[in-house]
Amino acid sequence: MPTTKTLGCLPFFAKGVVVKGFGRGSKELGIPTANYTSEVVETLPNDLETGIYYGYAKVDGGPVYKMVMSIGWNPFYKNVKKSMETHILHNFESDFYGSMLKTCIINYIRPEQSYESLDALIDAIKSDIAYADTQLDLPEHSALQTHSFFNAEKPQDVNTSELILPGSSL
């Protein structure tokens, strides 16, 4: 279970350019991810614990899709750099490095953990994706999928009174 402090950071809105990550998502895992710059990662609230989250994502001017995000150091790979890796529940025809990615992190799934094998890691990620897909169909999340954040051109275009909870990197 996430801490009350973590839940107090949600929803959390983030926006930034997609950069090349560690190169494992598509190639090694078969689960492509979009990665934020370290500057965006540094905007995460201190109280937001590392782990797996779900929410919504939008690339450039496209539609808003469901997503799963890993926040942290990916213990299986023993990363030394904290990352935000977003898997969007949509099949894109090509990479979109350099595109603007907007995400709304809604809720926590589980903590980060290491695995005995690559197959066990892939199974866990697929389970996270299935869980997020089901949770994001719940009516209580629909307002965030259509939130003005996804349509605003600039951060000042977002009506902050619409934000449900205080977390935001706008």
Side-chain angles (χ1 to χ4, degrees):
M1 282 298 294
T3 65
T4 302
K5 287 183 178 182
T6 287
L7 293 177
C9 297
L10 301 175
F12 182 80
F13 297 84
K15 174 182 168 183
V17 174
V18 176
V19 296
K20 286 191 181 260
F22 300 105
R24 299 183 291 242
S26 292
K27 294 178 183 89
E28 193 170 323
L29 302 172
I31 303 166
T33 59
N35 300 278
Y36 279 126
T37 63
S38 57
E39 290 81 14
V40 175
V41 176
E42 290 167 7
T43 68
L44 288 167
N46 291 335
D47 289 336
L48 190 74
E49 60 195 279
T50 61
I52 312 305
Y53 291 82
Y54 65 84
Y56 295 105
K58 179 178 180 174
V59 178
D60 289 332
V64 177
Y65 295 110
K66 299 173 182 178
M67 66 88 174
V68 175
M69 182 185 289
S70 171
I71 298 175
W73 291 272
N74 302 310
F76 181 79
Y77 291 103
K78 298 175 178 53
N79 291 358
V80 294
K81 184 177 175 184
K82 189 174 186 180
S83 65
M84 294 170 71
E85 298 180 84
T86 305
H87 172 71
I88 302 172
L89 280 66
H90 175 76
N91 291 323
F92 290 89
E93 295 198 14
S94 61
D95 291 335
F96 46 88
Y97 298 115
S99 294
M100 180 58 60
L101 175 65
K102 293 181 177 183
T103 56
C104 173
I105 303 167
I106 296 174
N107 213 336
Y108 180 87
I109 298 175
R110 62 174 177 83
E112 287 188 291
Q113 62 190 70
S114 192
Y115 293 89
E116 294 293 321
S117 69
L118 185 61
D119 286 338
L121 171 61
I122 292 169
D123 289 345
I125 294 170
K126 287 181 178 178
S127 176
D128 296 335
I129 292 167
Y131 178 78
D133 192 30
T134 300
Q135 292 299 303
L136 290 165
D137 282 337
L138 297 175
E140 59 259 37
H141 299 309
S142 63
L144 289 169
Q145 185 175 16
T146 59
H147 193 279
S148 62
F149 166 75
F150 289 114
N151 297 318
E153 292 299 315
K154 301 178 195 113
Q156 62 267 27
D157 294 340
V158 176
N159 179 354
T160 55
S161 66
E162 293 179 18
L163 299 179
I164 296 170
L165 292 171
S168 179
S169 72
L170 300 174

